[in-house]
Amino acid sequence: MTRHFLNTQDWTRAELDAVLAQAAQFKRNPAGDALKGKSIALVFFNPSLRTRTSFELGAFQLGGHAVVLQPGKDAWPIEFDLGTVMDGEAEEHIAEVAKVLSRYVDMIGVRAFPKFVDWSLDRQDRVLQGFAKYATVPVVNMETITHPCQELAHVLALQERFGTADLRGKKYVLTWTYHPRALNTAVANSALTIATRMGMDVTLLCPTPEYVLDERYMGWAAQNVAESGGSLQVSHDINSAYAGADVVYAKSWGALPYFGDWEREKPIRDQYRHFIVDEAKMAKTNNGAFSHCLPLRRNVKATDAVMDSPNCIAIEEAENRLHVQKAVMAQLAAQAGNRT
């Protein structure tokens, strides 16, 4: 079986710890030859700043080569459903795309956001799963409905902040924040997954029960608590959630009951602009670290003062994308080499 990196939940805790340790080594010594003579196709269905830059540079720094493809722009549009009569926009099927790329490259990275029409379809993650089904080389999730690379960068930044790889006992608040548009739940899904995996005491803070995350990720979080310790609670109360927090992680996302019907959700979302992360809320924490995956709209999601505070580790987290992705690619390349 080809080993992929689709979600951190698919990897053991020991494997994740090994990736994080290797990422820390790459941060100290960036250059290497773990990908010498190897290549990765980076397939972007959606735009990127950090992801594209960090994957391209990461492959280069390890002696590899990255090929960037944008289906529908500089590559043919792709069909993902079987049985479809392909008389529309799509020129070729994922079955051929993944197999052909597998003959050319050693890994495939995929970035594909939801269509934001029907969550029952989007939650199937069909683009990522299509590549994983037909590829004969490792596939890396560069963000779809989860963002596992961001998870690891986030954890590495927290380990650096607290000076330990053991994050158990830390109070971790994953807070919803307002945004003018309803956004993907990917980073929130991933933050909930990794924070519970690391044994932290996790509070999911959101305005109403409608903003609770999909049952799959709530289920993963509950499973992680059972296996790793820590705790999980959902709160709609700002004061109690922030009180004594060691970590505040902010993200905007749309309420799943209104998925694809955002105009009906907008009046609800507009009521909760006060969920912005500001100085008064952070003052309730235990000198807590603040972070966000970026990009962040200042003075909408978090204030200038919070972003410019020495407690903000968002830039460190963004830098760590480079290091953890190098570690993921190196681990996948080594595992693939061991099987041949």
Side-chain angles (χ1 to χ4, degrees), residues 78-86 93-94 121 124 126 134:
I78 304 170
E79 174 61 54
F80 288 87
D81 291 331
L82 284 173
T84 300
V85 176
M86 291 177 54
H93 198 276
I94 183 59
L121 295 177
Q124 297 174 28
R126 290 189 295 176
Y134 293 107

Side-chain angles (χ1 to χ4, degrees), residues 3-13 15-16 19 123-125 128-129 132 139-152 185-187 189-191 193-194 197 216-217 220 224 328 332:
R3 190 71 190 280
H4 302 302
F5 185 67
L6 307 183
N7 287 292
T8 56
Q9 202 73 6
D10 300 333
W11 286 41
T12 68
R13 175 62 192 273
E15 289 172 326
L16 296 178
V19 170
R123 78 187 298 274
Q124 297 174 28
D125 219 358
L128 183 67
Q129 294 300 330
V139 173
V140 179
N141 182 349
M142 301 194 300
E143 188 179 5
T144 58
I145 58 172
T146 58
H147 201 346
C149 294
Q150 192 75 49
E151 293 177 46
L152 296 183
T185 56
V187 172
N189 295 335
S190 286
T193 298
I194 203 65
R197 195 78 182 278
R216 175 190 295 151
Y217 308 104
W220 284 1
N224 291 341
V328 167
L332 290 172

Side-chain angles (χ1 to χ4, degrees), residues 98-306:
K99 291 173 183 176
V100 168
L101 285 178
S102 297
R103 300 291 181 97
Y104 292 156
V105 300
D106 300 283
M107 278 175 274
I108 301 171
V110 178
R111 181 177 178 89
F113 294 171
K115 299 296 185 184
F116 295 107
V117 175
D118 183 343
W119 176 242
S120 68
L121 295 177
D122 277 338
R123 78 187 298 274
Q124 297 174 28
D125 219 358
R126 290 189 295 176
V127 174
L128 183 67
Q129 294 300 330
F131 274 95
K133 177 179 178 180
Y134 293 107
T136 56
V137 297
V139 173
V140 179
N141 182 349
M142 301 194 300
E143 188 179 5
T144 58
I145 58 172
T146 58
H147 201 346
C149 294
Q150 192 75 49
E151 293 177 46
L152 296 183
H154 180 45
V155 168
L156 184 58
L158 292 178
Q159 291 175 340
E160 293 167 337
R161 163 78 178 189
F162 295 115
T164 177
D166 187 357
L167 300 177
R168 291 176 297 176
K170 302 297 184 185
K171 181 177 179 181
Y172 181 100
V173 178
L174 170 58
T175 180
W176 177 93
T177 55
Y178 171 77
H179 191 282
R181 296 183 291 108
L183 301 181
N184 192 0
T185 56
V187 172
N189 295 335
S190 286
L192 187 73
T193 298
I194 203 65
T196 51
R197 195 78 182 278
M198 293 293 153
M200 290 187 275
D201 295 313
V202 178
T203 297
L204 173 62
L205 173 63
C206 53
T208 71
E210 296 164 304
Y211 287 89
V212 171
L213 298 171
D214 182 87
E215 61 183 359
R216 175 190 295 151
Y217 308 104
M218 298 302 295
W220 284 1
Q223 175 187 331
N224 291 341
V225 167
E227 294 175 353
S228 303
S231 61
L232 172 66
Q233 65 171 325
V234 175
S235 175
H236 308 302
D237 181 73
I238 290 173
N239 291 330
S240 63
Y242 273 83
D246 297 295
V247 182
V248 175
Y249 199 53
K251 188 67 184 78
S252 304
W253 66 85
L256 293 180
Y258 298 93
F259 197 88
D261 191 5
W262 302 124
E263 285 304 310
R264 201 156 62 92
E265 186 230 24
K266 191 175 186 306
I268 301 171
R269 186 170 7 112
D270 287 348
Q271 296 177 47
Y272 297 103
R273 294 171 185 259
H274 62 283
F275 268 70
I276 184 174
V277 184
D278 56 24
E279 307 93 299
K281 295 184 186 69
M282 291 302 298
K284 301 176 188 295
T285 72
N286 181 29
N287 194 33
F290 170 78
S291 197
H292 185 279
C293 64
L294 303 181
L296 177 140
R297 296 194 182 204
R298 283 179 174 236
N299 304 307
V300 174
K301 295 182 179 181
T303 61
D304 286 332
V306 169

